[in-house]
Amino acid sequence: MGCSKWRAALNIGHLRVQSKLSVFFTMIILFTYLFYCLNGYCDSLPRPVYDQQSNHQNKITLNDGASQQEKITHNASQVFREQMSDFSDGSSDNISIANTFGSKKFPQAIIIGVKKGGTRALLEFLRIHPDVRAVGSEPHFFDRFYDKGLDWYRNLMPRTLEGQITMEKTPSYFITKEAPRRVFSMSRHTKLIVVVRDPVTRAVSDYTQTLTKSPGLPSFQNLAFRNATTGLIDTTWSAVRIGIYAKHLENWLRFFPLSRLLFVSGERLVTDPAGEMGRVQDFLGLKRVVTDKHFYFNQTKGFPCLKKPEGSSRPRCLGKSKGRPHPQIPSEVLHRLRDFYRPFNLKFYQMTGHNFGWD
């Protein structure tokens, strides 16, 4: 009987010790957790599985079945985050306020050609307009960097506000076989501008530019003819090939109606910049802001320059590379080249419904 009481007392004592130890270890855990939370470590703890699943489900709902208002709110927050990221990328002294408003969009209009036709002048003239935002350098997305993807391309664009249009220019698009399909895949509503110029004059200008970079280049006539005796033109030479406008236009008309294209005269852009700019602004759906009051003719360079804006000490002219003197080309060479282009020019006039008067 005494042994039984002793064992019972021993068991009770053992249970009390276990209970006290449990309370002791629980208190240690709680105090440890409290210490970590007070020091800011709680935020790094793993999130509950149900919370992660809930957020994932919310994303699915947003993409598949959210209301229009929810999508607008979500998109607005995305734009806000993009804008705020502009402030954290560098020193606050270098922040441009213009870069913190609006959103980056695919270009609604592209100057697709042609090289040495007057595309740089057109873009500079358009930049006067407050509703035009354009990329400075040529992106070459649809001919060289298409594999980088549309997100990469859109990120190159400047931010625009409601009512403004985004533009870019890459003259080589016009002669790139894959470009029409790629632009159409981005947006079938893209407006396309082609600045064209007398193909003979354009070829000489093209050669002149190349000659300044490569002084040891063969003569113009050696490059233009496969056989100087027969007068057979070498259409593989890019300076000649670019000027066969009708051939390149056929490629674009497979994807875009003629109403989506505007053909700007490179010659008229020099002799009557305000008149040609009026056509361009109408085509883009813009108010005619750029007028003759913005231009004056630079006799030295031989083309129009922009009058100096308020607060500027001098007018804006294109760079030194524009308006170079052309080398002397034998008249017989130019005559043969003009004969070569004549049937292509006539077809181009017919296709566009406009006689550019090159013949």
Side-chain angles (χ1 to χ4, degrees):
M1 185 70 178
C3 288
S4 297
K5 289 182 178 180
W6 181 79
R7 286 195 186 96
L10 187 63
N11 287 336
I12 292 171
H14 184 68
L15 290 172
R16 286 176 179 172
V17 170
Q18 282 184 331
S19 178
K20 289 180 180 180
L21 285 173
S22 297
V23 172
F24 176 73
F25 283 117
T26 301
M27 293 299 292
I28 289 177
I29 291 170
L30 288 174
F31 279 117
T32 302
Y33 179 78
L34 182 62
F35 172 79
Y36 271 83
C37 285
L38 289 174
N39 284 276
Y41 290 102
C42 288
D43 292 340
S44 63
L45 294 175
R47 293 163 59 194
V49 174
Y50 75 87
D51 188 32
Q52 296 175 5
Q53 291 175 338
S54 174
N55 282 346
H56 177 67
Q57 187 63 39
N58 286 341
K59 290 178 181 177
I60 294 174
T61 303
L62 180 62
N63 290 332
D64 295 338
S67 67
Q68 187 66 24
Q69 184 60 41
E70 288 172 324
K71 290 181 180 178
I72 292 172
T73 304
H74 176 74
N75 291 337
S77 65
Q78 286 289 96
V79 171
F80 177 77
R81 282 194 292 272
E82 285 182 12
Q83 293 170 353
M84 289 304 294
S85 68
D86 289 340
F87 289 92
S88 60
D89 287 342
S91 170
S92 59
D93 294 335
N94 297 325
I95 293 173
S96 169
I97 293 178
N99 289 334
T100 63
F101 294 95
S103 58
K104 295 188 176 186
K105 302 172 185 175
F106 293 122
Q108 295 99 321
I110 304 176
I111 301 172
I112 61 173
V114 298
K115 180 184 179 185
K116 306 308 296 178
T119 58
R120 172 54 60 184
L122 175 61
L123 188 65
E124 291 304 313
F125 296 165
L126 275 170
R127 279 180 160 171
I128 303 173
H129 204 293
D131 290 334
V132 173
R133 298 296 310 282
V135 183
S137 58
E138 297 173 3
H140 283 281
F141 175 67
F142 295 107
D143 60 346
R144 298 180 189 172
F145 304 116
Y146 193 66
D147 59 332
K148 291 184 178 290
L150 285 168
D151 286 341
W152 177 86
Y153 180 55
R154 180 169 53 189
N155 197 48
L156 297 177
M157 301 300 131
R159 294 183 182 275
T160 51
L161 301 172
E162 188 69 30
Q164 292 181 320
I165 65 171
T166 305
M167 293 189 66
E168 70 116 315
K169 89 158 182 87
T170 305
S172 53
Y173 290 163
F174 188 61
I175 63 168
T176 301
K177 185 178 179 180
E178 299 81 12
R181 175 180 54 79
R182 291 171 175 176
V183 175
F184 182 84
S185 297
M186 178 189 72
S187 173
R188 67 181 63 191
H189 303 295
T190 307
K191 293 183 178 181
L192 309 168
I193 300 176
V194 190
V195 188
V196 289
R197 181 184 182 188
D198 182 336
V200 177
T201 310
R202 197 221 65 81
V204 175
S205 180
D206 197 338
Y207 172 77
T208 304
Q209 183 183 54
T210 308
L211 189 63
T212 59
K213 299 175 182 177
S214 307
L217 203 65
S219 67
F220 181 88
Q221 49 268 39
N222 285 345
L223 293 170
F225 296 108
R226 286 186 180 180
N227 188 315
T229 305
T230 62
L232 183 64
I233 303 295
D234 188 357
T235 56
T236 63
W237 185 33
S238 64
V240 170
R241 188 178 70 253
I242 291 172
I244 310 175
Y245 303 141
K247 178 182 176 181
H248 305 305
L249 179 57
E250 285 177 346
N251 195 27
W252 284 90
L253 292 179
R254 291 189 182 100
F255 294 88
F256 292 91
L258 195 61
S259 60
R260 283 280 157 192
L261 289 101
L262 177 70
F263 301 92
V264 176
S265 168
E267 287 82 10
R268 285 199 67 213
L269 205 55
V270 173
T271 60
D272 182 19
E276 208 65 1
M277 287 303 299
R279 293 181 60 238
V280 175
Q281 291 171 97
D282 291 346
F283 175 71
L284 295 175
L286 299 170
K287 183 179 178 181
R288 287 198 175 195
V289 172
V290 185
T291 61
D292 54 1
K293 69 180 181 181
H294 291 94
F295 302 100
Y296 81 96
F297 192 81
N298 185 306
Q299 297 290 345
T300 305
K301 285 182 171 289
F303 54 75
C305 294
L306 297 170
K307 292 180 180 178
K308 64 179 182 180
E310 292 184 17
S312 176
S313 60
R314 58 182 180 178
R316 289 168 51 194
C317 279
L318 298 179
K320 294 180 180 179
S321 64
K322 307 300 180 182
R324 301 186 189 95
H326 290 178
Q328 288 293 325
I329 310 293
S331 58
E332 178 61 24
V333 172
L334 299 178
H335 180 73
R336 286 187 177 185
L337 201 55
R338 198 165 296 283
D339 287 341
F340 165 77
Y341 278 122
R342 184 170 290 108
F344 296 109
N345 290 344
L346 293 174
K347 185 176 181 181
F348 185 66
Y349 299 166
Q350 185 181 45
M351 294 172 73
T352 61
H354 184 79
N355 186 338
F356 290 91
W358 297 323
D359 300 293

